[in-house]
Amino acid sequence: MNKHTVVALVQDRPGVLNRAVSLFRRRGFNIESLAVGHSETPGVSRMTLVVEAEDVEQVTKQLYRLIEVLKVSDVTSDPTVEREMALVKIHAPSGSRPEIVALTGMFGAKIVDVGYNTMVIEMTGTPSKVENFIEVVRPFGMKEMMRTGRIAMVRGAHTHQAPADATESGNGHATAEAATLN
């Protein structure tokens, strides 16, 4: 199955995320990661989904069925800037700390907390760089880890913005079925 990175702009309203995730669940699509946050437009949130699907066009069509979804783009083959963040708590006795500090510096990560026998490291970068860092520090003994999931933005002048009246009217593509979900 192919992995696709899909960016969706949605109205910032209660229940929108639940409806989007339920839609994927009902259709049997696996969401590998999901990141949601405010966009540059007040009242509009930006979702980045990494989805395993043979037919990503079906995924975007399904998202457009939700009235709060304003714009959907598959950016998988576009030139993008992609980032992910991970917080990793590792076993770090005093004898291991110099090596951990050196590895953290080589990857451009930050040590954000130091305990008696632990360190919490913040790693931000491309998903593959984050994965490589995790594999390098895993042998020290990983106590906890949290990853944000991928966020993506198309490079250059091309933008992925909501229409000016987006927060008022929805996408205009809603079907009768989608309207009944609200």
Side-chain angles (χ1 to χ4, degrees):
M1 209 159 300
N2 298 326
K3 289 183 185 177
H4 297 274
T5 302
V6 176
V7 174
L9 296 174
V10 299
Q11 292 176 328
D12 190 11
R13 293 186 178 165
V16 174
L17 180 60
N18 183 40
R19 283 190 284 280
V21 171
S22 293
L23 184 148
F24 281 93
R25 179 187 48 79
R26 285 193 309 267
R27 302 293 189 258
F29 295 121
N30 184 36
I31 299 173
E32 184 174 292
S33 77
L34 170 65
V36 183
H38 295 288
S39 72
E40 73 287 350
T41 306
V44 176
S45 293
R46 185 182 179 106
M47 298 171 56
T48 304
L49 302 112
V50 178
V51 181
E52 291 182 11
E54 290 298 327
D55 184 11
V56 74
E57 188 177 329
Q58 184 66 21
V59 172
T60 60
K61 284 180 182 175
Q62 293 296 321
L63 279 172
Y64 270 123
R65 295 183 79 163
L66 300 177
I67 194 165
E68 298 94 346
V69 174
L70 306 169
K71 188 173 183 180
V72 181
S73 297
D74 175 14
V75 298
T76 306
S77 55
D78 293 341
T80 56
V81 175
E82 296 181 344
R83 293 292 182 266
E84 184 176 332
M85 186 177 95
L87 288 176
V88 183
K89 183 183 288 185
I90 59 173
H91 181 68
S94 59
S96 301
R97 289 185 180 201
E99 188 178 0
I100 294 168
V101 170
L103 288 170
T104 300
M106 287 173 47
F107 278 87
K110 291 189 242 176
I111 297 169
V112 293
D113 185 65
V114 177
Y116 180 70
N117 276 326
T118 61
M119 286 183 168
V120 177
I121 302 170
E122 173 189 321
M123 175 65 203
T124 303
T126 63
S128 64
K129 186 174 179 181
V130 171
E131 189 63 39
N132 289 342
F133 176 76
I134 289 167
E135 291 309 311
V136 167
V137 297
R138 186 179 300 275
F140 291 99
M142 191 171 299
K143 294 186 166 287
E144 286 184 86
M145 180 181 73
M146 176 64 196
R147 295 173 77 159
T148 59
R150 185 179 306 185
I151 58 173
M153 188 170 288
V154 175
R155 292 180 182 269
H158 178 74
T159 60
H160 188 79
Q161 294 179 315
D165 63 345
T167 58
E168 303 295 326
S169 61
N171 64 19
H173 299 286
T175 64
E177 179 184 326
T180 61
L181 293 172
N182 297 320

